[in-house]
Amino acid sequence: MDAVDDVSADSAAAREELRGEIKGSSPLARDTVTPGTHPNSRFHESAIKHVTGRASYIDDLKAPADALHVALALSPVAHGRLTQLDLDKVRSMPGVVDVVGFHDVPGHTDIGPVFPGDPIFVEDEISYVGQVLFAVAAESHRAAREAVNAALAQGIAEIDEQPACLDPVAAAERGEFVRPTHVQQSGDWEQALASAAHVVEAEQFVGGQEHFYLEGQACLVQPTEDEGVIVHTSNQHPSETQKLVAEVLGIPFHAVTVEVRRMGGGFGGKETQASPWACIAALVARRTGRTTRVRLPRADDMRVTGKRHPFHNRYRLGVDEQGVIQGGEITVIGDCGYSPDLSDAIVDRAMFHSDNAYSLGEARVTGHRARTHTASNTAFRGFGGPQGMMVIEAAMDDIARRIGEDPLTVRKRNFYRPGRQTTHYGQQVDQIKLLRELVEQLETSSEYWARRRAITEFNAESPIIKRGLALTPVKFGISFTAKHLNQAGALLHVYTDGSVMINHGGTEMGQGLHTKICQVVARELGLDVDEVRITATRTDKVPNTSPTAASSGADLNGQAARDACVKLKQRLFDFAHEHLYKDQGLDREEMRMEAGHLVAGHGESERRIPWGELVQSAYLNRISLSEKGFYATPLIHYDRNVGQGRPFYYYAFGAAVAEVSVDTLSGEYQVERVDILHDVGDSLNPAIDIGQVEGGFIQGMGWLTSEELKWNEAGRLISDGPATYKIPTYGDLPPVFNVKLMEGHPNSMASIYRSKAVGEPPFMLGMAVWSALRDALASLADYAEAPRLDTPATPERVLLAAEELRSRYDSAQLERGAP
Ligand code: MTE
Ligand code: HPA
Ligand code: MOS
């Protein structure tokens, strides 16, 4: 709001001229949150810099004139052996300053983040198309790329190609896994199946997803005067990059400083997979003594880095006459690519979410981690949760068709409820009433049942265009499932002019984390947000940090920042009590920070000291004005040996209603309307949270509809740029898009100001669009069956499903002699 003054006079004038004109009726042009309506609704801390182009990303950082540019030589084959690599030939090419391969690494050569398995360069075995064979550093990026191309064309790398495995189901059948299979079980699932009124079963393929962050993988590394480096990187996990760079160089961690000001999007793709480029750049920087840049061209980025895991899921569930699940089994197979990366935790999270919001009863859930010859798949918003939820959402639609009820009715019957409140992994689901209320509110506000009737009537009259409607819920577990990651630190400085600087372990990727942390500090210290400045995330300010992931950034770092503020406040209160108010008998316990003042006492005896004065006199009295904070999430635990525990501190909830219309002769479809109600507890910043809900939904919708990854038979990714890989664009926004935050339900757990994490959960609201597509298609079979619809549900897949269903139902009607 106030930050608007920061734009230049010209743009302010242009803005004024257009006021009222640029607003159209489309959802993006409207004011999401009217300024002033909610005191916590603040602009993103960098909003003005984002839109005026003054926010620096890695490529904007100035480097010395002699900085080097790196290009990577990538494997052209998916599987084989590197039998010969003659790097000397490359060293003499024009503009080339250094060439590095496996044998040039002084320290560790395996940079696997959690488990080994990721060589920094190929030594011998090649595991996917795009794996890095070697790197060339040159005076310009063009010279580096030309040298790489010339070198590969001259055959300096000799490869003995072998057959590649690209099919995760076949890999699972052969027992080719990157990590062992894990099972979660509650009760006697076989008995539940045997005694159920109906058994419903199906299989599905759920596709992967390219992160498509706008800023690709990039870093800039400066050598320091001793053995170390300073690494500027677009990165969700600075501490892990620090560790890996130090290990690759064979130097102590304290010689490596990693700095992240912001990312142009991460979405999970920079949790582990930003590190290799930093390691390579650090290697070159140390060898040459020159600042070194790595910036992956988009097609390289898409080929080299892993994606959301594609999954093959199967379920077999026993239900009663009402469609209520009694028990059964679910199997998920994650396609992990060639190495473990984070796949153990990702497939676990798929398993933890294969119930979504429904009680599975007596169930067994099995998760396999299949190895294939593709890039190593990695974290992506939802972290396996979305792929796991898809299996039970498919089952809900299938059960509804089997028993002839509306899918929403069946979903509601299966929600966690009193008596059926424990998940298959042993965690009690709190706030079950909240989900029920949320869904009921949304049912009403979206006019679900009136629209359902209208759609059924419409479809009966419309042979080609079919409309579909669906409401799908989300229950998403909040906490890292690796317990030790649920910790955070913060560093608070107050300077003698009263200005405040906060630093914490989280990174900013557009999600508004820094804004929220500034708000926490301002609130604790009773200051205006503008008085609090946040600085770049740095491993030398707050050490040993967790990745900014699992939606936990604000939960963890907000608590750590608050802890630092509370400690500093206590010290200032002690000081004020001792030195300023001792003779006045003012109660130490009642001291507080309010509107830029320390306030003591009440009514007549109230005393106020302005913040600036307080800070000055504390300094003169030699009181420290700096503090660090720490937080570790309580209560959580999970015993992987028995597959039981309480892995999540709490759950975040939400629901979406989507309406689609499908042209069943071409498969083309349109999302007509979307209504969302989402639970963020007591929001830290409603404006930012609504942005997260809208963005998450659209990204989830893209995953399930238009974003299709294609590999050729040789395992080469052929959808390697925006021309062939389609993320949602402006035109894909639903023309009616109502997004609201649930009100009046603070977090039942003691999270930061009773808020809830918001980053990932709304992603899974996109499932409403997929379910609505199945609903539209089911009308072709008189709603007796919902067709299998693998994802992404491209027009091609929708058309094939429509044709298959139509041919079967039309011939069945002919046989019965129907008109
Ligand atoms: N929002 C934006 N604009 N850009 C991003 O890269 N990443 C998502 C989500 N929202 C992302 C985003 C993912 S995958 C996660 S885990 C969370 O933000 C991480 O941030 P948080 O923990 O601070 O919510
Ligand atoms: N979510 C996201 N990232 C992670 C997790 C998780 O549960 N565990 C380890 N990295
Ligand atoms: Mo998000 S996938 O946990 O970075």
Side-chain angles (χ1 to χ4, degrees), residues 64-131:
D66 72 345
L68 295 175
H69 300 259
V70 171
L72 305 176
L74 307 181
S75 165
V77 308
H79 186 208
R81 302 211 95 83
L82 181 64
T83 52
Q84 198 38 294
L85 185 65
D86 184 4
L87 293 183
D88 285 338
K89 275 205 185 126
V90 196
R91 292 200 164 90
S92 57
M93 289 181 169
V96 171
V97 175
D98 197 13
V99 182
V100 282
F102 184 87
H103 299 288
D104 301 304
V105 179
H108 293 193
T109 52
D110 193 320
I111 53 171
V114 184
F115 305 101
D118 297 295
I120 178 170
F121 297 111
V122 170
E123 180 190 17
D124 174 15
E125 184 175 7
I126 292 176
S127 307
Y128 72 101
V129 176
Q131 193 167 15

Side-chain angles (χ1 to χ4, degrees), residues 236 267-268 271 379-383 548-551 760:
Q236 289 174 245
F267 306 113
E271 180 173 342
F380 196 142
R381 206 170 193 169
F383 203 77
T548 309
S551 306
E760 295 167 289

Side-chain angles (χ1 to χ4, degrees), residues 170-359:
E173 276 160 12
R174 288 195 299 265
E176 287 167 16
F177 298 125
V178 295
R179 296 290 304 156
T181 294
H182 181 49
V183 178
Q184 296 161 341
Q185 190 169 330
S186 62
D188 189 346
W189 61 278
E190 284 171 305
Q191 174 56 33
L193 269 179
S195 57
H198 307 276
V199 171
V200 187
E201 61 187 313
E203 274 180 52
Q204 69 182 168
F205 169 72
V206 179
Q209 189 177 24
E210 159 61 33
H211 298 86
F212 229 104
Y213 22 60
L214 290 187
E215 181 192 35
Q217 301 283 358
C219 66
L220 176 77
V221 178
Q222 302 159 325
T224 62
E225 63 179 28
D226 43 44
E227 80 275 39
V229 283
I230 296 175
V231 180
H232 299 268
T233 161
S234 185
N235 197 310
Q236 289 174 245
H237 199 349
S239 285
E240 186 166 87
T241 298
Q242 175 195 25
K243 166 186 183 280
L244 292 170
V245 165
E247 287 175 349
V248 163
L249 294 180
I251 59 177
F253 292 12
H254 68 207
V256 178
T257 299
V258 178
E259 170 168 328
V260 179
R261 173 56 187 93
R262 64 171 66 76
M263 281 159 268
F267 306 113
K270 296 169 182 170
E271 180 173 342
T272 59
Q273 305 215 358
S275 287
W277 332 117
C279 292
I280 291 171
L283 205 55
V284 171
R286 272 319 329 167
R287 284 162 60 91
T288 60
R290 290 162 71 167
T291 296
T292 305
R293 269 187 196 290
V294 176
R295 177 200 340 118
L296 299 190
R298 184 63 65 174
D300 282 6
D301 191 315
M302 291 180 75
R303 206 157 263 139
V304 179
T305 62
K307 319 192 170 310
R308 178 185 297 285
H309 293 56
F311 268 70
H312 287 264
N313 298 332
R314 283 195 292 269
Y315 77 85
R316 194 149 67 96
L317 294 171
V319 302
D320 68 11
E321 303 289 357
Q322 304 293 305
V324 174
I325 298 174
Q326 306 303 301
E329 63 167 339
I330 291 176
T331 304
V332 301
I333 303 172
D335 179 349
C336 301
Y338 83 96
S339 76
D341 187 82
L342 297 170
S343 295
D344 230 13
I346 288 167
V347 176
D348 275 2
R349 192 172 274 272
M351 297 167 69
F352 285 129
H353 288 80
S354 63
D355 58 343
N356 194 8
Y358 317 107
S359 165

